[in-house]
Amino acid sequence: MASPKRDNARAARILVDAALFGDRKACETHKITDRTLRNYRAALEADTELSALYAQLSSLVTTQTWAGELNSTLTTLIRKLGGMTQELPGSTAENIGAVTGAIKVLSEIAITREVLGHEGVSDAGDGQPDQSNPEAGGADPTA
């Protein structure tokens, strides 16, 4: 009896999920056995269609995941850094150094975002306005 033809698009998705989340999670999510997952991996070497789909999907998912995490993480860190800077008491040399360091970090983040094509992004898409941008609906830090 001939085995059914493999759905390469589904197999590629499962392989990407296994790479991102682990074999166990991928098998549970897609309701397949560990043996099936191993067969998909083995087929990557011989099946050019599956290999191409896997490479394309893997690249797409990795890029999307990275970009989403970058935005969210940068927004969280910027807000945390702003809050920490506002809590510094007085103008001691140590505090001035801390604020200067914070400015340097934020400048580097701004340059990175510009290089990556994220200039003008007002928030991470998390539904929360930037804390330091009253025009975008954020809290006015001077109020």
Side-chain angles (χ1 to χ4, degrees):
M1 178 173 169
S3 61
K5 175 149 174 52
R6 178 182 52 249
D7 179 350
N8 278 343
R10 181 173 185 264
R13 175 76 239 180
I14 292 168
L15 288 166
V16 168
D17 284 355
L20 290 173
F21 308 114
D23 290 3
R24 177 177 286 167
K25 180 72 174 160
C27 289
E28 289 172 5
T29 300
H30 296 281
K31 297 178 178 34
I32 62 167
T33 65
D34 183 52
R35 180 70 192 150
T36 300
L37 182 60
R38 285 182 288 170
N39 288 341
Y40 289 167
R41 280 199 181 106
L44 274 174
E45 294 178 28
D47 188 329
T48 56
E49 179 192 31
L50 177 59
S51 296
L53 286 169
Y54 174 77
Q56 180 182 18
L57 186 58
S58 179
S59 175
L60 179 67
V61 168
T62 303
T63 302
Q64 287 176 344
T65 300
W66 177 82
E69 289 175 5
L70 173 69
N71 253 0
S72 177
T73 302
L74 285 178
T75 299
T76 300
L77 291 174
I78 289 168
R79 289 177 182 164
K80 178 77 172 168
L81 187 56
M84 290 168 61
T85 303
Q86 289 175 359
E87 293 174 6
L88 292 174
S91 298
T92 66
E94 184 178 319
N95 290 346
I96 291 170
V99 171
T100 303
I103 291 168
K104 180 181 177 195
V105 169
L106 291 175
S107 298
E108 290 171 356
I109 290 170
I111 290 168
T112 302
R113 290 176 70 87
E114 187 174 326
V115 168
L116 295 174
H118 293 288
E119 66 272 10
V121 175
S122 62
D123 73 34
D126 59 3
Q128 301 297 316
D130 284 351
Q131 298 299 314
S132 61
N133 187 353
E135 290 82 29
D140 185 349
T142 60

